[in-house]
Every structure is written in structure tokens, then in C-alpha cells.
Amino acid sequence: MTTTTSEPEGGDTLPDAPPAPHGPPGAPRHTPVISQEATTEIPVHLLFRDHDSPPLALRPAVVARRRGTGEQPRIARDPLPVRTDRVPVPQRPGPAADPGLVERPAAALPGWTGMVAALCALAGVGTVLWGAGALPGMITRALGLPSYPYQGLGLGLWCLVALGVLSALFALGGIGRAQVAHAWVLTLFGEYRGSVRRPGLFWVNPLLLRRRVDVRLRHWRSEPMSAVDADGTALRVVVLVVWRVRDTARAVLGIEDHEDYLSEQVEAALSRVLSRLPVDPPDPGSAPPGLGGAPTLRDAEAVGGALTRTLAGECAAVGVEVFSAQPVTIEYAPEVAVAMRRRRIAAIDARHREAVLTSVVDAVDDTVTRLTARGLVELDDYERKALVKDLTVAFYSGRATLSED
């Protein structure tokens, strides 16, 4: 039994639909489209329950009916959740990171400030040389400036010229260029002074040591790596890792090479995850892992989730963020591949023969039972055994012929 409630949107009144074409003339009109219809199933025994009993919360069974389409209400079905915790990998704390080594923005100025400062310093040097008469006449005539006789450069003028040249070099030496999705890690005498992520020209202290790091989203496909499953079977596995540098200070200064560290951690995490489960289920006829069967390494979603969690925990301390680590290929090692292939073929053949024999026995039993139940034949024990034998041979021969075809 169902009940239906209607709630118009915004207080609007729905127009009455015309009467059914085959109904009687005096029949009431029926509205085929109801806004925001929700139907809830109510068990019949609840209509006669006591009023003192606690209320029962019911879930709406019909939702999201589109107006004006005339379609029937649809039952909302919850999607099946994907289990990523089927691989029993024990969680352990990752390496501790240096709390004082955290990325922070560096003190950087726009690049045009360094250029302007360099031009001003060079202009000052030229002015000093022009006033002392040290500029060649060709340059003064080209600039339209009067020429002065050269009277030599004293110690003070030499100091001004040197200061101007050093200022120009200082201003030009601090100009740098950063690309999009790249960063510069700055250090001064071994001390971290910040990171620059802004693209384009920038100016920093030229005494700072700059190290460039790529912060783009990157992927790494490994070479075939050796591993073993829970049964000790040798495997060859290829893994695809999607990652990026999240903390430039830890990725550059906290470790010698974060890319080598990532590749080594992939191999270590792969050994930890794959050694917890077998490649194939013990029973070849069992259900697949995603349908309630025993978890195996064939469940790529679960294995990838466990591998991602393990790898992300190990790489967080060095400023590397791992988005996914998915095994692309899991296959037997060449030295055991032939033997495992023969084993699988033998298991499939045994399962096929068992299925054929079961169906033949059921068919023979059904045939003999029907013949005797309907009184078509009267058989003693010897005749029954002979009939069962003949039917078994006939049915099995027919099944074998169909299987070969």
C-alpha cells in the first residue's frame, strides 16, 4: 500500500489536466503530472498498530520525477561503494619531518626594479666620467653634451665609479626568471630563506643560492619490478604513480634527491602491499573479489588504494604529494609463468569436467524419475542400472560433442 503527497513549488497552482478519453462524462478530472512527488511504502500491519508504539522511519522509494515528461517515477538506487580497504596492510608511522623546514614565500621584488636600479647606477657612473672629461668626444657629441678637458680621476672619483659599477652588477645579478609551475628555493650560507613561485622576472638578493624545482603534476611509470605474493610466487609488476612536489623546501633541502626517494619508496611499498594477498584465489571457482569473493591481487582498485595510502604516508615527510599509485601490470615472473599457466589450464579443465558430469547426472536422474513416476516403464534393479548407464553415456557424449564444437 502506498501514499502520495504533493507540494506545489512557489505556491503556483498546477493546471487541471483534461479528462481521460475513455472515461465516463461525469468522471472527475485527473492530473497526470504532480510536482515533487514522493511515494513511501507503508506495510499493511502498521495501519492496525497501537498508537503507543514508536514511529518507524521509512525511506522514500520514489524520487526525482521530471515535470511534463510523462515518465514513470523511478526508484533511486544507491551506487555500490568501492572497497579500497580489502588489502590488510598494517599502517605504521612514516618518517618524521623537520618542523622548522616548511616552505614559505621569499622576499622578492619585481624584475623591473633591478633593471631600473642598474640603469641608474650606470647613469651615475657615466655622469662622473663625463664631468671628469674621461668620456670620448664621439660619445659626448652623439649625446649632444659639451666636452670637458680631461684632468684625471682622483681617488674619490675612482671610488664613485667602482661603487656605481658594483651597484649595477648587484642589481643585474639579482634578476631571475621563473617559469609557470616551477619554483626557486633560496638559501644563504646554508640557511633556507624562502621559495619563489611567481612566474616571470623577479629580483632577489644576488648572494642567495637558487635551486630550481618542478612543481607540476607529474606521472612516473616504473620498469618491471620484482615482487612476491602471499604464497611466495615470483611476480613482475609495473606501477604508474601520479605525484607532484607540495613543499619545495622539504623536497630540495630535506632530502638529497626526492625523485630517487620516490622510486625507492614505490618498490618498498609494492613489496609490502603485494606480499599480503595471493595473485589468484585458492578456489578457482570462487566469486571475483569485487563480488564478495576472497581479496586477491586481481582487485586492481583495492590494491591501488592500499599502495597509494602506503606511498603517500612515506613521501609526505619530504614534501612529495602522491595522488595515485596504480599497478598497471601484474604478471608471473618468466621462470614460473609456464608452470602457473599449466596449473590454471588444469584447474579450468577440472572445473569444466566437474560441471559437465554434474549436469549429466542431474539429467539422467530427472529422466529416470519422470519415466518411472508416470508409469511409462517398469524397471527392476538390473534394468534400472542398464538404463542409467546408457543414458549417462549418451548424455556425456552429447555434451562432449557440444563442447568441442
Coordinates of all heavy atoms in Angstrom, one line a residue, residues 227-305:
A227 N 58.6 -8.8 -7.3 CA 57.8 -8.9 -6.1 C 57.3 -10.3 -5.9 O 57.4 -11.1 -6.8 CB 56.7 -7.9 -6.1
V228 N 56.8 -10.6 -4.7 CA 56.2 -11.9 -4.4 C 54.9 -11.7 -3.8 O 54.6 -10.7 -3.1 CB 57.1 -12.7 -3.5 CG1 58.4 -13.1 -4.2 CG2 57.4 -12.0 -2.2
D229 N 54.0 -12.6 -4.0 CA 52.6 -12.5 -3.4 C 52.7 -13.3 -2.0 O 53.7 -13.7 -1.5 CB 51.6 -13.1 -4.3 CG 51.7 -14.6 -4.5 OD1 52.8 -15.1 -4.2 OD2 50.8 -15.2 -5.1
A230 N 51.5 -13.5 -1.4 CA 51.4 -14.1 -0.1 C 51.9 -15.6 -0.1 O 52.3 -16.1 0.9 CB 50.0 -14.0 0.4
D231 N 51.8 -16.2 -1.3 CA 52.2 -17.6 -1.4 C 53.7 -17.7 -1.8 O 54.1 -18.9 -2.1 CB 51.3 -18.3 -2.5 CG 49.9 -18.3 -2.1 OD1 49.6 -18.3 -0.8 OD2 49.0 -18.4 -2.9
G232 N 54.4 -16.6 -2.0 CA 55.8 -16.7 -2.4 C 56.0 -16.8 -3.9 O 57.1 -17.1 -4.3
T233 N 55.0 -16.6 -4.7 CA 55.1 -16.7 -6.1 C 55.8 -15.5 -6.7 O 55.4 -14.3 -6.3 CB 53.7 -16.9 -6.8 OG1 53.1 -18.0 -6.2 CG2 53.9 -17.1 -8.3
A234 N 56.8 -15.6 -7.5 CA 57.5 -14.5 -8.1 C 56.7 -13.8 -9.1 O 56.0 -14.4 -10.0 CB 58.8 -15.0 -8.8
L235 N 56.7 -12.5 -9.1 CA 55.8 -11.6 -9.9 C 56.7 -10.5 -10.6 O 57.8 -10.2 -10.1 CB 54.7 -11.0 -9.1 CG 53.8 -11.9 -8.3 CD1 52.8 -11.0 -7.5 CD2 53.0 -12.8 -9.2
R236 N 56.1 -10.0 -11.7 CA 56.7 -8.8 -12.3 C 55.6 -7.8 -12.4 O 54.5 -8.0 -12.9 CB 57.2 -9.1 -13.7 CG 58.4 -10.0 -13.8 CD 59.6 -9.2 -13.3 NE 60.9 -10.0 -13.5 CZ 61.3 -10.8 -12.6 NH1 60.7 -11.0 -11.4 NH2 62.4 -11.5 -12.8
V237 N 55.8 -6.6 -11.8 CA 54.8 -5.6 -11.6 C 55.3 -4.3 -12.2 O 56.5 -3.9 -12.0 CB 54.5 -5.4 -10.1 CG1 53.3 -4.4 -10.0 CG2 54.1 -6.7 -9.5
V238 N 54.4 -3.6 -12.9 CA 54.6 -2.2 -13.5 C 53.6 -1.3 -12.8 O 52.4 -1.6 -12.8 CB 54.5 -2.2 -15.0 CG1 54.7 -0.8 -15.5 CG2 55.5 -3.1 -15.6
V239 N 54.1 -0.2 -12.2 CA 53.3 0.7 -11.4 C 53.3 2.1 -12.1 O 54.4 2.6 -12.6 CB 53.8 0.8 -10.0 CG1 52.9 1.8 -9.2 CG2 53.9 -0.5 -9.4
L240 N 52.2 2.8 -12.1 CA 52.1 4.2 -12.6 C 51.7 5.1 -11.4 O 50.7 4.9 -10.7 CB 51.0 4.3 -13.7 CG 50.7 5.7 -14.2 CD1 51.9 6.1 -15.0 CD2 49.5 5.7 -15.1
V241 N 52.6 6.0 -11.1 CA 52.5 6.9 -10.0 C 52.2 8.3 -10.5 O 53.0 8.8 -11.4 CB 53.7 6.9 -9.1 CG1 53.6 7.8 -7.9 CG2 54.0 5.4 -8.7
V242 N 51.2 9.0 -10.0 CA 50.9 10.4 -10.2 C 51.2 11.2 -9.0 O 50.7 10.9 -7.9 CB 49.4 10.6 -10.6 CG1 49.1 12.0 -10.9 CG2 49.1 9.7 -11.8
W243 N 52.1 12.2 -9.1 CA 52.6 12.9 -7.9 C 53.0 14.3 -8.3 O 53.1 14.7 -9.5 CB 53.8 12.2 -7.4 CG 55.0 12.1 -8.3 CD1 55.2 11.3 -9.4 CD2 56.1 13.0 -8.3 NE1 56.3 11.5 -10.0 CE2 57.0 12.6 -9.3 CE3 56.6 14.0 -7.4 CZ2 58.2 13.2 -9.6 CZ3 57.8 14.6 -7.7 CH2 58.6 14.2 -8.7
R244 N 53.3 15.1 -7.3 CA 53.9 16.4 -7.5 C 54.6 16.9 -6.2 O 54.3 16.3 -5.2 CB 52.8 17.4 -7.9 CG 51.9 17.8 -6.8 CD 50.9 18.9 -7.2 NE 49.9 19.2 -6.2 CZ 48.9 20.0 -6.3 NH1 48.7 20.6 -7.5 NH2 48.1 20.3 -5.3
V245 N 55.4 17.9 -6.3 CA 56.1 18.5 -5.2 C 55.1 19.4 -4.5 O 54.7 20.4 -5.1 CB 57.4 19.2 -5.6 CG1 58.0 19.9 -4.4 CG2 58.4 18.2 -6.2
R246 N 54.8 19.2 -3.3 CA 53.9 20.1 -2.5 C 54.7 21.1 -1.7 O 54.3 22.2 -1.6 CB 53.0 19.2 -1.6 CG 52.1 20.0 -0.7 CD 51.2 19.1 0.1 NE 52.0 18.1 0.8 CZ 52.5 18.3 2.0 NH1 52.3 19.5 2.6 NH2 53.2 17.4 2.6
D247 N 55.8 20.7 -1.0 CA 56.6 21.5 -0.2 C 58.0 21.6 -0.8 O 58.7 20.6 -0.7 CB 56.7 21.0 1.2 CG 57.2 22.0 2.2 OD1 58.3 22.6 1.9 OD2 56.6 22.3 3.3
T248 N 58.3 22.7 -1.5 CA 59.6 22.8 -2.2 C 60.8 22.8 -1.2 O 61.9 22.3 -1.5 CB 59.6 24.1 -3.0 OG1 59.4 25.2 -2.1 CG2 58.6 24.1 -4.0
A249 N 60.6 23.3 0.0 CA 61.7 23.3 0.9 C 62.1 21.9 1.4 O 63.3 21.6 1.4 CB 61.4 24.2 2.2
R250 N 61.2 21.1 1.7 CA 61.5 19.7 2.1 C 61.9 18.9 1.0 O 62.8 18.0 1.1 CB 60.2 19.1 2.8 CG 59.8 19.8 4.1 CD 58.6 19.1 4.7 NE 58.3 19.7 6.0 CZ 57.3 19.3 6.7 NH1 56.4 18.4 6.3 NH2 57.1 19.9 7.9
A251 N 61.4 19.1 -0.2 CA 61.8 18.3 -1.4 C 63.2 18.6 -1.8 O 63.9 17.7 -2.3 CB 60.8 18.5 -2.5
V252 N 63.7 19.8 -1.6 CA 65.0 20.2 -2.1 C 66.1 20.1 -1.0 O 67.2 19.6 -1.2 CB 65.0 21.6 -2.7 CG1 66.4 22.0 -3.1 CG2 64.1 21.6 -3.9
L253 N 65.7 20.6 0.2 CA 66.7 20.6 1.3 C 66.5 19.5 2.3 O 67.4 19.2 3.0 CB 66.5 21.9 2.1 CG 66.6 23.2 1.2 CD1 66.4 24.4 2.1 CD2 68.0 23.3 0.5
G254 N 65.3 18.8 2.4 CA 65.1 17.8 3.3 C 65.6 16.4 2.9 O 65.7 15.5 3.7
I255 N 66.0 16.3 1.6 CA 66.5 15.0 1.1 C 67.4 15.3 -0.1 O 67.3 16.4 -0.7 CB 65.3 14.1 0.7 CG1 65.7 12.7 0.5 CG2 64.6 14.7 -0.6 CD1 64.6 11.7 0.3
E256 N 68.3 14.3 -0.3 CA 69.3 14.6 -1.4 C 68.6 14.6 -2.8 O 68.9 15.5 -3.6 CB 70.3 13.4 -1.4 CG 71.4 13.6 -2.4 CD 72.5 12.5 -2.3 OE1 72.3 11.7 -1.4 OE2 73.4 12.6 -3.1
D257 N 67.8 13.7 -3.1 CA 67.1 13.7 -4.4 C 65.7 13.1 -4.2 O 65.5 11.9 -3.9 CB 67.9 12.8 -5.4 CG 67.3 13.0 -6.8 OD1 66.2 13.4 -7.0 OD2 68.1 12.8 -7.8
H258 N 64.6 13.9 -4.3 CA 63.3 13.4 -4.0 C 62.8 12.5 -5.1 O 61.9 11.6 -4.8 CB 62.3 14.6 -3.8 CG 62.2 15.5 -5.1 ND1 63.1 16.5 -5.4 CD2 61.3 15.5 -6.1 CE1 62.8 17.1 -6.5 NE2 61.7 16.5 -7.0
E259 N 63.3 12.6 -6.3 CA 62.8 11.6 -7.3 C 63.4 10.2 -7.1 O 62.6 9.2 -7.2 CB 63.2 12.2 -8.7 CG 62.6 13.5 -9.1 CD 62.9 13.9 -10.5 OE1 63.6 13.1 -11.2 OE2 62.5 15.0 -10.9
D260 N 64.6 10.1 -6.7 CA 65.2 8.8 -6.4 C 64.5 8.3 -5.1 O 64.2 7.0 -5.0 CB 66.7 8.9 -6.1 CG 67.4 9.2 -7.4 OD1 66.9 9.0 -8.5 OD2 68.6 9.6 -7.3
Y261 N 64.2 9.1 -4.2 CA 63.5 8.7 -3.0 C 62.1 8.1 -3.3 O 61.7 7.1 -2.8 CB 63.4 9.8 -2.0 CG 62.6 9.5 -0.7 CD1 63.3 8.9 0.4 CD2 61.3 9.8 -0.6 CE1 62.6 8.6 1.5 CE2 60.6 9.5 0.6 CZ 61.3 8.9 1.6 OH 60.6 8.6 2.8
L262 N 61.4 8.8 -4.2 CA 60.1 8.3 -4.6 C 60.2 6.9 -5.3 O 59.4 6.0 -5.0 CB 59.4 9.3 -5.6 CG 58.1 8.9 -6.1 CD1 57.0 8.8 -5.1 CD2 57.6 10.0 -7.2
S263 N 61.1 6.8 -6.2 CA 61.2 5.5 -6.9 C 61.6 4.3 -5.9 O 61.1 3.2 -6.1 CB 62.3 5.6 -8.0 OG 63.6 5.9 -7.4
E264 N 62.4 4.6 -4.9 CA 62.8 3.6 -4.0 C 61.6 3.3 -3.1 O 61.4 2.1 -2.7 CB 64.0 4.1 -3.1 CG 65.2 4.4 -3.9 CD 66.3 3.4 -3.8 OE1 66.2 2.6 -2.8 OE2 67.2 3.5 -4.6
Q265 N 60.8 4.3 -2.7 CA 59.7 4.0 -1.8 C 58.6 3.3 -2.6 O 57.8 2.5 -2.0 CB 59.1 5.3 -1.3 CG 60.0 6.0 -0.2 CD 60.1 5.1 1.0 OE1 59.2 4.4 1.4 NE2 61.3 5.1 1.6
V266 N 58.5 3.5 -3.9 CA 57.5 2.7 -4.7 C 57.8 1.2 -4.6 O 56.9 0.4 -4.5 CB 57.5 3.2 -6.2 CG1 56.7 2.3 -7.1 CG2 56.9 4.6 -6.2
E267 N 59.1 0.9 -4.8 CA 59.5 -0.5 -4.7 C 59.2 -1.1 -3.3 O 58.8 -2.2 -3.2 CB 60.9 -0.6 -5.1 CG 61.4 -2.1 -5.3 CD 62.8 -2.2 -5.8 OE1 63.4 -1.1 -6.1 OE2 63.3 -3.3 -6.0
A268 N 59.5 -0.3 -2.3 CA 59.3 -0.8 -0.9 C 57.8 -1.0 -0.6 O 57.4 -2.0 0.0 CB 59.9 0.1 0.1
A269 N 57.0 0.0 -1.0 CA 55.6 -0.1 -0.8 C 54.9 -1.2 -1.6 O 54.0 -1.9 -1.1 CB 54.9 1.2 -1.1
L270 N 55.5 -1.5 -2.8 CA 55.0 -2.6 -3.6 C 55.2 -3.9 -2.9 O 54.3 -4.8 -2.9 CB 55.6 -2.5 -5.0 CG 55.0 -3.4 -6.1 CD1 53.6 -2.9 -6.4 CD2 55.9 -3.3 -7.3
S271 N 56.4 -4.1 -2.3 CA 56.7 -5.3 -1.6 C 55.8 -5.5 -0.4 O 55.3 -6.6 -0.2 CB 58.1 -5.3 -1.2 OG 59.0 -5.2 -2.4
R272 N 55.5 -4.4 0.3 CA 54.6 -4.5 1.5 C 53.2 -4.9 1.1 O 52.5 -5.7 1.8 CB 54.6 -3.2 2.2 CG 55.9 -2.9 3.0 CD 55.8 -1.6 3.7 NE 54.6 -1.6 4.6 CZ 54.1 -0.5 5.2 NH1 54.7 0.7 4.9 NH2 53.1 -0.6 6.0
V273 N 52.7 -4.3 0.0 CA 51.3 -4.5 -0.3 C 51.1 -5.8 -1.0 O 50.1 -6.6 -0.6 CB 50.8 -3.4 -1.2 CG1 49.4 -3.6 -1.8 CG2 50.8 -2.0 -0.5
L274 N 51.9 -6.2 -1.9 CA 51.7 -7.4 -2.7 C 51.9 -8.7 -1.9 O 51.4 -9.7 -2.2 CB 52.6 -7.4 -3.9 CG 51.9 -6.9 -5.2 CD1 51.5 -5.4 -5.1 CD2 52.9 -7.0 -6.4
S275 N 52.7 -8.6 -0.8 CA 53.0 -9.8 0.0 C 51.9 -10.1 0.9 O 52.0 -11.1 1.7 CB 54.3 -9.5 0.8 OG 54.1 -8.4 1.7
R276 N 50.8 -9.3 0.9 CA 49.7 -9.6 1.9 C 48.6 -10.5 1.2 O 47.8 -11.1 2.0 CB 49.0 -8.3 2.3 CG 50.0 -7.2 2.8 CD 50.7 -7.7 4.1 NE 49.7 -8.0 5.2 CZ 50.1 -8.3 6.4 NH1 51.4 -8.4 6.7 NH2 49.2 -8.6 7.3
L277 N 48.6 -10.6 -0.1 CA 47.5 -11.3 -0.8 C 48.1 -12.2 -1.8 O 49.1 -11.9 -2.4 CB 46.5 -10.4 -1.4 CG 45.7 -9.5 -0.4 CD1 44.8 -8.5 -1.2 CD2 44.8 -10.3 0.5
P278 N 47.3 -13.3 -2.2 CA 47.8 -14.1 -3.3 C 47.3 -13.5 -4.6 O 46.4 -12.6 -4.7 CB 47.1 -15.5 -3.1 CG 45.8 -15.1 -2.3 CD 46.2 -13.9 -1.5
V279 N 48.0 -13.9 -5.7 CA 47.6 -13.4 -7.0 C 46.2 -13.9 -7.4 O 45.3 -13.2 -7.9 CB 48.6 -13.8 -8.1 CG1 48.2 -13.3 -9.5 CG2 50.0 -13.3 -7.7
D280 N 45.9 -15.2 -7.3 CA 44.7 -15.9 -7.6 C 44.1 -16.5 -6.4 O 44.7 -16.8 -5.4 CB 44.9 -16.9 -8.7 CG 45.5 -16.4 -10.0 OD1 44.9 -15.4 -10.5 OD2 46.5 -16.9 -10.5
P281 N 42.7 -16.6 -6.3 CA 42.1 -17.2 -5.2 C 42.4 -18.7 -5.1 O 42.7 -19.3 -6.1 CB 40.6 -17.0 -5.5 CG 40.5 -16.9 -7.0 CD 41.8 -16.2 -7.4
P282 N 42.4 -19.2 -3.8 CA 42.7 -20.6 -3.7 C 41.8 -21.5 -4.4 O 42.2 -22.5 -5.0 CB 42.6 -20.8 -2.2 CG 42.7 -19.5 -1.6 CD 42.2 -18.5 -2.6
D283 N 40.5 -21.1 -4.5 CA 39.5 -21.9 -5.2 C 39.2 -21.3 -6.5 O 38.7 -20.1 -6.6 CB 38.1 -22.0 -4.4 CG 37.1 -22.8 -5.1 OD1 37.5 -23.5 -6.1 OD2 35.9 -22.8 -4.7
P284 N 39.6 -21.9 -7.7 CA 39.4 -21.3 -9.0 C 38.0 -20.9 -9.3 O 37.7 -20.1 -10.1 CB 40.0 -22.3 -9.9 CG 40.9 -23.1 -9.1 CD 40.3 -23.2 -7.8
G285 N 37.0 -21.6 -8.7 CA 35.6 -21.4 -9.0 C 35.0 -20.4 -8.1 O 33.7 -20.2 -8.1
S286 N 35.7 -19.7 -7.2 CA 35.1 -18.8 -6.3 C 34.7 -17.5 -7.0 O 35.1 -17.2 -8.1 CB 36.1 -18.5 -5.1 OG 37.3 -17.9 -5.6
A287 N 33.9 -16.6 -6.3 CA 33.5 -15.4 -6.9 C 34.6 -14.4 -7.0 O 35.6 -14.5 -6.3 CB 32.4 -14.8 -6.0
P288 N 34.5 -13.5 -8.0 CA 35.6 -12.4 -8.1 C 35.7 -11.6 -6.8 O 34.7 -11.5 -6.0 CB 35.1 -11.6 -9.3 CG 34.1 -12.5 -10.0 CD 33.5 -13.4 -9.0
P289 N 36.8 -10.9 -6.6 CA 37.0 -10.1 -5.4 C 35.9 -9.0 -5.2 O 35.5 -8.7 -4.2 CB 38.4 -9.6 -5.5 CG 39.1 -10.5 -6.5 CD 38.0 -11.0 -7.4
G290 N 35.6 -8.4 -6.3 CA 34.6 -7.3 -6.3 C 33.2 -7.7 -6.0 O 32.3 -6.9 -5.7
L291 N 32.9 -9.1 -6.1 CA 31.5 -9.6 -5.9 C 31.4 -10.4 -4.6 O 30.6 -11.3 -4.5 CB 31.1 -10.4 -7.1 CG 31.0 -9.6 -8.4 CD1 30.6 -10.6 -9.5 CD2 30.1 -8.4 -8.4
G292 N 32.3 -10.1 -3.7 CA 32.2 -10.8 -2.4 C 33.2 -12.0 -2.2 O 33.1 -12.7 -1.2
G293 N 34.0 -12.2 -3.2 CA 35.0 -13.3 -3.1 C 36.2 -12.9 -2.3 O 36.3 -11.8 -1.7
A294 N 37.1 -13.8 -2.1 CA 38.3 -13.5 -1.3 C 39.1 -12.5 -2.0 O 39.3 -12.5 -3.2 CB 39.1 -14.8 -1.1
P295 N 39.7 -11.5 -1.2 CA 40.5 -10.5 -1.9 C 41.8 -11.1 -2.5 O 42.5 -11.9 -1.8 CB 40.8 -9.5 -0.7 CG 40.6 -10.3 0.5 CD 39.6 -11.3 0.2
T296 N 42.1 -10.7 -3.7 CA 43.4 -11.1 -4.3 C 44.0 -9.9 -5.0 O 43.5 -8.8 -5.0 CB 43.1 -12.2 -5.4 OG1 42.2 -11.6 -6.4 CG2 42.3 -13.4 -4.8
L297 N 45.1 -10.1 -5.6 CA 45.8 -9.0 -6.3 C 45.2 -8.7 -7.6 O 45.6 -7.7 -8.2 CB 47.3 -9.4 -6.5 CG 48.1 -9.6 -5.2 CD1 49.6 -10.0 -5.6 CD2 48.1 -8.4 -4.3
R298 N 44.2 -9.5 -8.0 CA 43.5 -9.1 -9.3 C 42.5 -8.0 -9.0 O 42.0 -7.4 -10.0 CB 42.7 -10.4 -9.8 CG 43.6 -11.6 -10.0 CD 44.6 -11.3 -11.1 NE 45.4 -12.5 -11.4 CZ 46.4 -12.5 -12.3 NH1 46.7 -11.4 -12.9 NH2 47.0 -13.6 -12.5
D299 N 42.2 -7.6 -7.8 CA 41.4 -6.5 -7.5 C 42.2 -5.2 -7.6 O 42.8 -4.8 -6.6 CB 40.8 -6.6 -6.1 CG 39.7 -5.6 -5.8 OD1 39.5 -4.7 -6.7 OD2 39.0 -5.7 -4.8
A300 N 42.3 -4.7 -8.8 CA 43.2 -3.5 -9.0 C 42.8 -2.3 -8.2 O 43.7 -1.5 -7.8 CB 43.2 -3.2 -10.5
E301 N 41.5 -2.1 -8.0 CA 41.1 -0.9 -7.2 C 41.6 -1.0 -5.8 O 42.1 0.0 -5.2 CB 39.6 -0.8 -7.3 CG 39.0 0.5 -6.8 CD 39.3 1.7 -7.7 OE1 39.5 1.5 -8.9 OE2 39.4 2.8 -7.2
A302 N 41.4 -2.1 -5.2 CA 41.8 -2.3 -3.8 C 43.3 -2.2 -3.6 O 43.9 -1.6 -2.7 CB 41.3 -3.6 -3.2
V303 N 44.0 -2.9 -4.5 CA 45.5 -2.9 -4.5 C 46.0 -1.5 -4.7 O 47.0 -1.0 -4.0 CB 46.1 -3.9 -5.5 CG1 47.6 -3.8 -5.5 CG2 45.7 -5.3 -5.1
G304 N 45.4 -0.8 -5.7 CA 45.9 0.6 -5.9 C 45.6 1.5 -4.8 O 46.4 2.4 -4.5
G305 N 44.4 1.4 -4.1 CA 44.2 2.2 -2.9 C 45.1 2.0 -1.8 O 45.6 2.9 -1.1

